[in-house]
Amino acid sequence: MSDILQQLDAVLAQRRQAAPDSSYVASLHHKGLNKILEKVGEEATETIIAAKDAADGVDTQRQAVVAETADLWFHSLVMLSHLGIESQAVLDELARRFGISGLDEKAARSNE
C-alpha cells in the first residue's frame, strides 16, 4: 500500500511545480491552502453522505463510498503536499498507534 502513496507523493510534488492551467493539483496549490481545505471538507461530506446511502448494502452505493473515500484521501494528500508533509508521516503515526487501545491513545492526547 505504501508504494502507491510514495508514487502519489512524487506525482503531487511534481505537479505542485506545474503551471496552474496544466494540472488540477497545480491549480489547487495555486489557489492556496484554503481552497485545498475546502475540497477536503467537500469530499468528507460527500463520503459521509455516500456511507449513509450505502448502509443497506447495495453494491453500487457501496462502490460510491469507495469512490468518495478515494477522493477524500486524494485531496488529503494534496493538503499534506501543500504543507510539505509526506504521506509516510501519517503512516508512521498510524504504526505508532498500532496495538494501543484507541481509548488509551485518545486519553494520552488529551493530557498533552
Side-chain angles (χ1 to χ4, degrees), residues 16-29:
R16 186 173 180 183
Q17 306 306 319
D21 61 347
S22 68
S23 162
Y24 173 70
V25 171
S27 73
L28 285 175
H29 283 297

Side-chain angles (χ1 to χ4, degrees), residues 16 22 38 41 44 49 53 56-57 68 70-71 75 85 100 112:
R16 186 173 180 183
S22 68
E38 180 183 307
I49 293 167
D53 290 346
D56 62 6
E68 292 300 342
D71 289 346
H75 286 89
I85 301 170
I100 299 173
E112 293 175 356

Side-chain angles (χ1 to χ4, degrees), residues 17-51:
Q17 306 306 319
D21 61 347
S22 68
S23 162
Y24 173 70
V25 171
S27 73
L28 285 175
H29 283 297
H30 180 74
K31 292 174 185 173
L33 183 59
N34 284 345
K35 181 61 176 178
I36 296 167
L37 297 176
E38 180 183 307
K39 288 300 296 180
V40 171
E42 175 186 316
E43 297 303 341
T45 299
E46 291 174 1
T47 302
I48 291 166
I49 293 167

